[in-house]
Amino acid sequence: MKKNIIMYTMLFLLCSFSFIRAQTAEDKKQISTAVTEILKGFQTKNGDLMNAYVNKAYGVGVLFKSGGDLGFVLNEEVDFDMPLGYIEKAWNIRNQFPIQFGDVSQYDSKNKKWKKEGLFVQFNSNSVNDYVDKFSDVSSIKDQDIFKINSDPEDVVFVTLAENSKENAPINGFRFVMTRIGAKWYLTLIDVTEYNAE
């Protein structure tokens, strides 16, 4: 009897582990497709392609720095005919790297370049909570829906396309946040904080 309980327990744990692995594999597949299409949309300035991943209820926020202070603007959708915070129309990306799951590359603000080039996708990212802590009026920022849905790191993926280019400096690459809402991953925040607009 004791052996049967142990055997059933082990079987249950193995099945649970297999389900978790399958879910992670499905997330990676869905995120890989979304990242590829979002970057292609940005590269070709195709808002429709990017908007397929924007949740209509939450929109897409743009995080930026101006005079050293962190700020953000909320847009209903990506529209390259209108200003998207501090995203310049001439901002170009090459988007030539394969996706690497894991830690992201760090940006060297002093030298205006990435420490390591590549396309990095970081699961379980606490990046949005870190940004919220940097706003001067934290309480009102945390109350906004776009930040509330990003408060649980398990539902947040931070994407960094780290590209160093002399002609684009100080704007190199592209960063954005994807959030799991229900069973789908959405583009919720675009991070242009490496470019300090004055």
Side-chain angles (χ1 to χ4, degrees):
M1 179 72 174
K2 199 173 188 180
K3 286 182 182 179
N4 286 344
I5 292 173
I6 292 171
M7 195 165 71
Y8 286 126
T9 304
M10 293 297 289
L11 186 60
F12 174 76
L13 289 173
L14 285 172
C15 289
S16 298
F17 181 70
S18 297
F19 175 75
I20 291 168
R21 287 184 58 134
Q23 184 63 39
T24 301
E26 179 58 33
D27 283 342
K28 281 187 177 180
K29 181 180 173 186
Q30 196 180 124
I31 288 167
S32 295
T33 301
V35 166
T36 301
E37 292 187 4
I38 289 167
L39 288 173
K40 184 177 179 185
F42 190 79
Q43 186 176 26
T44 61
K45 304 300 183 263
N46 182 341
D48 291 338
L49 191 55
M50 295 179 76
N51 286 326
Y53 294 96
V54 174
N55 184 287
K56 302 300 179 204
Y58 297 103
V60 59
V62 180
L63 294 156
F64 61 90
K65 280 189 179 175
S66 181
D69 293 328
L70 185 63
F72 95 103
V73 61
L74 185 62
N75 298 290
E76 290 181 12
E77 61 182 10
V78 176
D79 182 352
F80 287 101
D81 292 329
M82 297 176 61
L84 288 171
Y86 286 86
I87 296 177
E88 295 183 0
K89 290 182 181 181
W91 190 339
N92 296 315
I93 58 173
R94 295 186 315 270
N95 188 21
Q96 299 173 333
F97 298 103
I99 294 174
Q100 299 177 53
F101 290 95
D103 291 338
V104 297
S105 180
Q106 298 299 315
Y107 189 74
D108 180 353
S109 299
K110 182 179 176 186
N111 294 312
K112 295 184 176 9
K113 68 178 191 174
W114 296 97
K115 293 183 179 178
K116 181 180 178 186
E117 288 189 300
L119 176 54
F120 305 93
V121 175
Q122 182 185 33
F123 278 96
N124 302 317
S125 175
N126 202 37
S127 58
V128 179
N129 291 327
D130 292 341
Y131 289 129
V132 169
D133 292 340
K134 293 176 185 171
F135 280 103
S136 56
D137 186 8
V138 176
S139 59
S140 65
I141 297 295
K142 282 186 178 178
D143 291 339
Q144 297 196 29
D145 289 340
I146 196 75
F147 291 102
K148 282 182 180 179
I149 61 168
N150 283 291
S151 62
D152 184 356
E154 290 184 11
D155 293 329
V156 177
V157 168
F158 192 49
V159 181
T160 301
L161 174 62
E163 295 180 334
N164 292 321
S165 171
K166 290 180 183 176
E167 65 256 13
N168 289 344
I171 307 175
N172 297 315
F174 188 58
R175 287 183 128 172
F176 59 93
V177 173
M178 295 188 68
T179 308
R180 181 174 33 216
I181 303 170
K184 187 176 175 185
W185 289 91
Y186 291 94
L187 169 65
T188 52
L189 291 164
I190 296 172
D191 172 3
V192 296
T193 56
E194 277 78 33
Y195 176 61
N196 191 3
E198 296 297 333

